[in-house]
């Protein structure tokens, strides 16, 4: 996953050094609701006859991105954006007789068309709004591990999903520091793992 992302970054750097007017690298946090994945974790909690401890429940995690933009007019820019992030969940139980662990690991990679409009600009700072539409690929791994007495069992399942993304937000840029908030359409995350 990370190898693909860094390949895209290197190719983007090569192309942008020739053509792009604006190249940006992003590092931030990604927070997702993950309602379906939390429901799966709750279901496993109910099915296991002991009380599981949810040590991870899809926390915010690092998001890395790169964008190339070209100025169409004085205030409007058009470009492309690529990003990757991951998150996960873990439910576990352990005592003297054995242990049970249920891990859910989600990784995603997205590419989108980036539209940006500068609302206000003065010297080294600006306020802008943006809209991105594109494609999101997801990889979900489910791992079960049970150890009871002298016996143990494990199972691994992998799923792939894809969907379209729609994201809008606002940013405040001062010098090279970019502060902002974005919202991604919640519908993009519903039922993405039905097909393998």
């Amino acid at each position: 996953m990370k190898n693909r992302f860094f390949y895209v970054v290197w190719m983007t750097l090569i192309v942008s050094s020739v053509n792009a007017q604006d190249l940006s690298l992003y590092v931030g946090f990604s927070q997702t609701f993950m309602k379906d994945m939390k429901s799966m974790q709750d279901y496993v909690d109910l099915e296991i006859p002991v009380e599981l401890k949810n040590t991870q429940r899809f926390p915010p995690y690092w998001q890395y991105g790169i964008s190339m933009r070209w100025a169409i007019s004085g205030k409007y820019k058009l470009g492309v954006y690529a990003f990757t992030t991951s998150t996960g969940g873990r439910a576990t139980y352990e005592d003297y007789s054995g242990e049970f662990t249920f891990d859910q690991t989600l990784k995603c990679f997205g590419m989108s068309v980036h539209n940006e409009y500068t609302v206000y600009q003065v010297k080294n700072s600006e306020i802008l709004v943006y809209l991105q539409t594109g494609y999101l690929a997801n990889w979900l791994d489910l791992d079960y591990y049970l150890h009871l007495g002298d016996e143990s069992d494990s199972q691994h399942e992998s799923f792939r999903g894809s969907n379209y993304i729609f994201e809008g937000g606002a940013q405040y840029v001062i010098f090279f520091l970019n502060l902002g908030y974005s919202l991604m359409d919640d519908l993009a995350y519903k039922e993405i793992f039905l097909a393998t």
Side-chain angles (χ1 to χ4, degrees):
M1 169 67 111
K2 287 188 180 178
N3 290 340
R4 283 189 209 133
F5 177 72
F6 288 114
Y7 174 77
V8 170
V9 169
W10 282 114
M11 293 307 294
T12 302
L13 289 172
I14 290 169
V15 170
S16 68
S17 64
V18 176
N19 295 323
Q21 295 178 339
D22 186 6
L23 174 70
S24 299
L25 299 173
Y26 296 94
V27 175
F29 280 100
S30 175
Q31 172 67 52
T32 55
F33 293 109
M34 304 307 293
K35 288 182 258 181
D36 293 340
M37 297 297 101
K38 288 178 182 176
S39 294
M40 181 185 291
Q41 200 175 50
D42 293 339
Y43 175 78
V44 170
D45 286 350
L46 292 173
E47 291 298 308
I48 301 299
V50 293
E51 187 175 335
L52 296 177
K53 180 180 179 184
N54 292 317
T55 56
Q56 293 290 325
R57 197 154 166 89
F58 306 96
Y61 201 71
W62 292 104
Q63 179 172 320
Y64 307 98
I66 186 169
S67 71
M68 291 187 313
R69 294 170 294 204
W70 294 266
I72 304 301
S73 69
K75 292 187 172 199
Y76 178 69
K77 290 182 182 177
L78 181 65
V80 293
Y81 177 64
F83 69 93
T84 185
T85 189
S86 61
T87 188
R90 170 173 274 193
T92 186
Y93 177 82
E94 185 175 4
D95 66 12
Y96 67 92
S97 63
E99 65 180 297
F100 174 80
T101 302
F102 173 55
D103 288 329
Q104 300 163 283
T105 307
L106 178 69
K107 299 175 185 173
C108 70
F109 175 80
M111 293 197 74
S112 61
V113 175
H114 180 89
N115 296 280
E116 177 181 303
Y117 183 77
T118 302
V119 178
Y120 177 77
Q121 184 175 18
V122 61
K123 291 190 181 182
N124 295 322
S125 66
E126 64 183 354
I127 297 173
L128 55 95
V129 293
Y130 70 91
L131 179 65
Q132 295 178 158
T133 56
Y135 174 79
L136 184 65
N138 307 280
W139 294 267
L140 173 67
D141 290 320
L142 302 177
D143 292 293
Y144 308 85
Y145 174 73
L146 175 65
H147 175 80
L148 187 59
D150 294 335
E151 297 183 22
S152 64
D153 186 28
S154 63
Q155 185 177 357
H156 174 82
E157 296 180 63
S158 293
F159 301 90
R160 290 178 55 182
S162 61
N163 54 296
Y164 296 104
I165 56 175
F166 180 81
E167 180 179 349
Q171 295 176 329
Y172 175 67
V173 182
I174 183 165
F175 296 106
F176 64 90
L177 183 62
N178 195 340
L179 306 171
Y181 185 79
S182 65
L183 289 173
M184 186 179 288
D185 184 2
D186 189 44
L187 295 175
Y189 285 108
K190 289 191 178 181
E191 307 298 337
I192 58 174
F193 298 107
L194 291 179
T196 57

